[in-house]
Amino acid sequence: MGAAAVVGPQVSLTTSRHIQSLCHSLQVPHLEGRWSYPVPSSWTREKFTANFYPTPPDLNQAYIALIKEWNAKAIAVIYEDNDGLIRLQEALTDLREPKVHLAQLPNDPNRDYRPFLKMIKMTMRIRHLVIDCRAELIRTIMDQANQIGLVSEYFSFMFTSLDLHTVDFTPYQIQQGRVNITGFRLLREGWRQSSDSCAQGQDWRTNMNQLTTTSMLMYDALHSFARALRTSEREGPISVPTLSCDTERGWGTNGSQIIRLMLQTPMMGRSGLIRLSEFGRRDDFELDVLELGAAGLEVVGSWSRAGGVNYTRTWGQKTEEIATSMSGRTFRVVVGLANPYVMEDNTTESGFSGFCIDLMGEIAKKKKFKVEYHVSPNNQYGTFSEKEGPSGMMKELMENAADMAIADLSITLDREKGVDFSMPWMNLGISILYRKPVKAPPQLFSFMGPLSTEVWIYMGTAYLGVSVLLFILARLSPQEWQEPGVCSMAGADPDFLENEMNLRNSFWFTIGSLMQQGCDINPKAVSTRMVAAWWWVFTLIMISSYTANLAAFLTAGRMETPIKSAEDLAKQTTIKYGAKKTGSTKYFFRDSSKELYRRMYNFMESARPTVYVDSSDAGVERVIKSKGLYAYLMESSGIEYVLERNCELTQVGGLLDHKSYGIALQPGSPYTTVINSAILEIQEEGRLLELKNRWWKANTPCPDDNKVNANELGIDNVGGVFVVLLGGMCVAVLIAFSEFIWKSRKLAHAEHTSLMNEMAKELKFAFSCKGSSKPVSKPEPLRPSQSATYLSNGPGNWNADVTFEPYQRKP
């Protein structure tokens, strides 16, 4: 009967290519409403095919735009068959970020995809999935994904099928905010057919979920063909010839005219604006962006090749929707035990207390949700490694065992690769916890400390030099030679001159001046007085300086500080140092580019026994018990807390790095923005500082070591002065006994008695305490038989019965 146009087929792409070739040969319009391979550039405009389905390259650009909106680190692209892989080819080749993992749905006649989906969840640990499959498989995949825990607010599904609107998602609509399903729709909702249609004025809104894209595209194709046919009939009648594949005769100019009118005339169809290219391809179209909400799939935006993705809701509206979905829910929070952040407390409803618990309580109060806490296995904070996978809290989050993690948890690059972090709620850095420097015990001769050893030597040298100089100048100066005074011996020669500044008196004068005590002997000449005056100036300054420095020196004990920085730690091996064995502090030294820190890490790794500890509390206890042989590397905020409660410890040096604490959330968590806004609100209200003061400040702070108590001095401070005094007394006693023995020996020889008898007599008189006068000992009378050897006994020892006065020697 002849054919004016051929429609389809809709299933087999191979058959479609065959029909397309026949229509081209017979010059018959070929109408399609399904996807097909891109048209090679070698094909010309004489081709008689008009395809109303969007071109795969343009659809891929829509997929890429939506994937980039995820800001995902990695995605999984799952396809049903090879056609799906071809449809996604442009997206796979154009995407640079994120990392793409390809996987094909298993060809299971029972359609059991649960093992496959579980592998995606556990092995790849991917939270964003792009799935290309038939619309009738979408509900099956979602149900099985829900059974293995893939359907939650932390997993996002994007389906490439343009028939997503035909899938019944009623069981998932009640989980508002907890199911992330997105996709595209080509059909226009609420569209009314134009007046020249057979179905004039019909409203298609009521049966939208029953309309497939291909059927509506066929409707638009036939409508476009009808319009072109009527336009062509205005120029003359059109006869449809009977055509055969056995002959080369085609429809001629009528077929070419109709297909040309279809390509040149845009129209508004059920799938929106229809504008075909010269190759019969639909490369200018608009897609609705669909997301699953409480009322089902909702249009949240649109995509076009010119404008990209445009959402109809603002970022604030989306955040408000997420916050609303959090209201009334109970979130699982994994914690790590560390004072004062998180501590077990049976007196509270949650079983925990601490700064982090209060902070999370403030956030929950503002966003109206509840919290359920549990401790991380082995109390490990953990990290994420591409080779070893996650550990500790990171594993809890990535395996969906917890919604959030809060503790003294540092935001690091390795952790950021596996999970999401909120904005920082505390900034800090690594420092060194060590025993406080111990005051050195006062030394016995600490009173000599105000002056250095060199100064003492110089002062002694000056004392000797001035004394000798004074003696020499006194010998040279005529004014120092004077007549004997009243104390001179009777009968002294008036021409005899006496000089008081002998060597002994010179030393006595200078030492008396140095001790600020003065002397009964004074210089008389100008030269000697000049020496004395400048010596007094010197002693005034030195004694004043000594006195001024003595008080502070004796009251402020010197500190013994073996280490002052990380460099000091690295230079020695006596004091061991370590960190928490599974914390960011250890990884900082391991991954540091600084040679000093890498050397410290190697030292910690090779130390035996190990210098690593299981917790910060264990590290603090080890510092206390080591008595200065162990230093603990930890965050400065923890050190600040410890120092408020333990006055024996101190922080050594400054910060080795800068880091921040944050709340960890599951990768791709929609709640990150809401948590950030809550933290900012708490910070601006001043509650964050109040919480820190509450948990950090101790009730009884440590005394200020910088304050010097100068009210009293102990015997340890001035004991050396007593020792010097005792030593001086002992020397004086020794000299006195030496003089006593020497005098007793002379008297014993003069009186012809034994030394012991003379010493006994002198001691008896000394200890009798009978007045302060003493009789002069005289020699016995000279007997006739005695020789004149008495003359040699010295003055004052002559026999009273013999007169030798004319021959008596002068002293």
Side-chain angles (χ1 to χ4, degrees), residues 90-302:
E90 297 289 336
L92 297 178
T93 55
D94 291 350
L95 272 177
R96 297 293 180 266
E97 291 289 341
K99 186 178 181 180
V100 178
H101 298 267
L102 274 175
Q104 184 175 7
L105 281 173
N107 187 14
D108 189 348
N110 298 322
R111 295 184 176 180
D112 185 7
Y113 306 122
R114 285 171 295 187
F116 170 77
L117 295 174
K118 191 172 183 179
M119 181 270 296
I120 295 290
K121 176 185 177 182
M122 302 303 297
T123 305
M124 294 186 179
R125 296 187 177 92
I126 294 175
R127 301 300 183 97
H128 299 83
L129 295 88
V130 179
I131 303 177
D132 182 275
C133 66
R134 292 168 291 165
E136 54 266 27
L137 288 181
I138 294 178
R139 177 62 186 274
T140 301
I141 293 175
M142 289 301 301
D143 290 343
Q144 295 182 11
N146 190 29
Q147 294 173 9
I148 65 172
L150 270 176
V151 179
S152 71
E153 62 268 47
Y154 305 115
F155 293 88
S156 298
F157 296 85
M158 186 182 79
F159 292 95
T160 62
S161 174
L162 297 182
D163 289 332
L164 183 64
H165 61 277
T166 64
V167 181
D168 182 16
F169 291 112
T170 303
Y172 303 102
Q173 294 174 204
I174 59 175
Q175 303 181 37
Q176 184 179 4
R178 301 197 63 183
V179 181
N180 298 317
I181 297 177
T182 58
F184 297 98
R185 186 182 64 190
L186 181 62
L187 304 184
R188 303 289 94 183
E189 187 175 7
W191 173 82
R192 298 180 67 85
Q193 187 77 357
S194 58
S195 59
D196 58 351
S197 170
C198 300
Q200 181 177 357
Q202 183 176 354
D203 190 350
W204 299 79
R205 183 186 298 273
T206 56
N207 58 351
M208 184 69 182
N209 58 348
Q210 300 176 4
L211 301 178
T212 63
T213 302
T214 54
S215 61
M216 289 299 97
L217 290 179
M218 284 294 91
Y219 180 86
D220 288 343
L222 292 173
H223 181 50
S224 177
F225 175 77
R227 291 182 59 185
L229 186 61
R230 285 194 295 271
T231 302
S232 180
E233 284 180 341
R234 296 190 185 102
E235 299 178 1
I238 296 178
S239 61
V240 180
T242 300
L243 302 176
S244 173
C245 297
D246 297 332
T247 62
E248 296 181 358
R249 183 174 61 89
W251 197 6
T253 58
N254 288 327
S256 300
Q257 182 179 2
I258 292 175
I259 195 67
R260 185 176 63 255
L261 289 173
M262 292 180 64
L263 299 181
Q264 294 177 353
T265 307
M267 64 166 285
M268 184 63 67
R270 190 65 183 84
S271 57
L273 178 63
I274 300 174
R275 182 182 290 113
L276 301 177
S277 68
E278 59 180 350
F279 297 106
R281 312 295 293 183
R282 186 173 182 179
D283 52 8
D284 187 8
F285 56 92
E286 185 175 318
L287 299 174
D288 288 335
V289 180
L290 304 178
E291 283 188 6
L292 183 63
L297 287 172
E298 302 173 352
V299 178
V300 296
S302 62

